[in-house]
Amino acid sequence: MCIVTEVRTDRVTPGSQTSLREANRARIVSAVQQRGSLTQVELAGTTGLSPATVSNIVKELSAAGVLHTAPSTRSGRRAQLVTLARSLGLVAGVHFGARSMRVALADASLRVISEERMPLAPDHRADVGLRRAAMLVEEMAASVEAGAGELLAVGIGVPAPVDVRTGTVSSAGLLRGWDGAEVGTELGATFGVPVGVDNDANLGALAEARLGAGAGYDPVVYLRVSHGVGGGIVLGGQLLRGRRGAAGEIGHVTIDENGPVCRCGNRGCLETFVGSHVLVGMLAGRGHLTLADVIAGALAGDAGCRRVVYDAGQHLGVAAANLCNIVDPEVVVVGGQLAEAGELLLDPMRTALEQRTLPSAAGPPQVLATSLGAWAEARGALVVALDLARDRGTLGVGV
Amino acid sequence: MTSVLTLAGVSKSFGAARALVDVDLEVHPHEVVAVVGDNGAGKSTLAAMLAGVHQPDSGAVLVDGEPVRLASPATARQRGIAAVFQELALCDNLDVVENLFLGHELEAGPFLDEVAMERQAWELLDQLAARVPSVRMPVSALSGGQRRTVAIARALLGDPRVVVLDEPTAALGIRQTAQVLTLVERLRSRGHSVVLISHSTADVQAVADRIVVLRLGRVNGVFDADAATSEDLLAAITGAAPAAPRTRRPGAAPVEGGPR
């Protein structure tokens, strides 16, 4: 990550009077919190404050137990690495996928302390899933010897559109067993802390834009290609959610007006071409396959599996090109399980995308693989949880 | 696809108690077959039979389509079938390496080849992405999930084709259950066939390709794990639904007596 791009996204002219000291403090805490860990020099670049001011404020906040400094090196020079002190508490991020659940526990500097993955049944139910997630978070918190009050907030990602104001799954029929599930209310009652709920692809988009392959770019489009296909759009650092959280649902963009009927009830959606059951179904007669088997086969050079992944890449490119012509992003980040196929998927996708986007002086949007891997959505959930904790003032610093 | 392991019309009685009655089971390569059922449905007897602990009274056991007699666990292992039972059979006072190689230690001349054993132990545990703090820790110091991982790793030492896991998630916390289920997925992707015996339908649906329901010693339904709902499974387990029509794959061995 280079400093120049960080300056461009974050730099706002700071106040110059001493009365702005409080605001500058908050600015520094916010920057450390967003990036996880930074050297003092990088902090100066990111916040636009002078190195001397940064040094003074960091010293003051370390003494107050908010920040923690450790000696480090950057480009061969000695530097002070600044992180949030662990005593500020923990946040949990939970990502429900179609066939698995991932739970991550991080401290207030987004340093992941513990993570766990659990396979889930097809068509799993909200009540069972949420109960297992709650038990897992509690057991993981206990294993890092966190006290009862240390958990500050929880972020949850669900593979369906979510009304973030109420924390309720707002779609019908997309995720059987989760229709209308009041995720926020239910888990809020279990944990007694603020709970943020969002669509999983939105969380992936947020994580990639802030911490991953999309850092320093704006707008960022994120595609999550796994059992289903989801998408998230980050404009000016903010997620585009739409009316009830269905913005960016690229999996249900029409590719073929006369195509097969999708689980959403419409025809010819992108998902009816690249959903995992469709990809696996194309290889019928090879026994019971999973998406992981198809990817492993493609990477090992199996011609049939490669063709399936190649075609999926082309279809994704077509759909992504439509989205690019509307949003004109700087970068399209591709995540989800199918992204593990790497260039086998991205190459045909780039070609299809370049053919269909409006020619621009800047060239076609970059297509990049996720840099956070399978944990992108869980990391996004951690980001949401930390933002919540900060907004509610439980981090101990007003920002 | 030919099956690696087939039970054809197998029955087993203990005195007057009929533990298994005319049971058919097929295990294909690279597949997780789950066997679910209530207490006393015959699950553990089935596991013991696959592991060579019990021998069937009637019916045939076929490995690669060839009838075999699994007279002892050692014979089963030679045939490529390894089992991990509920009670794990680990020695608490020995460390992880000693447990893994107990009975078939590697030797360098007159001495034990500790270095090679420790290296193999790490390789095996790494492949399973197992989180064991040290292979030189006595097993008594490990958690329930870690102990189960060690027992599974030991079963994998001879590189068996079929791994039979009897109630691998019983008496485990949620976190260790998550680790064991992830491990089952990893066994499958490594190319092993897995027979997963459990009474938890949620755990079974999460990782299985096919689910066989046993009820009172008989097969009461075979389900495709992607299509079966938990209601279907519960109905078959409790007997609320009559035996579903058995789905049979092409190439399956003919069954003595035929379907009822």
Side-chain angles (χ1 to χ4, degrees), chain A residues 99-101 114-123 125 128 132-133 135-136 139-140 143 286-290 293, chain B residues 1 30 131 173-179 181-182 185 188 200 202-203 205-207 209 224-226 229-231 249:
Chain A
R99 289 303 306 270
S100 67
M101 160 171 83
S114 172
E115 42 187 34
E116 209 68 70
R117 171 185 179 275
M118 183 167 204
L120 292 177
D123 287 333
R125 311 272 156 93
V128 179
R132 290 199 146 185
M135 284 161 67
L136 208 45
E139 227 174 87
M140 285 163 69
S143 77
R286 297 201 187 188
H288 193 280
L289 288 179
T290 62
D293 295 334
Chain B
M1 205 174 359
H30 195 63
R131 301 177 195 171
I174 183 85
R175 192 169 177 216
Q176 289 145 4
T177 302
Q179 287 166 2
L181 291 180
T182 307
E185 282 191 344
R188 182 187 182 282
S200 158
D203 291 350
Q205 282 183 294
V207 292
D209 295 301
D224 181 351
D226 283 343
T229 66
S230 34
E231 285 81 6
R249 293 179 181 219

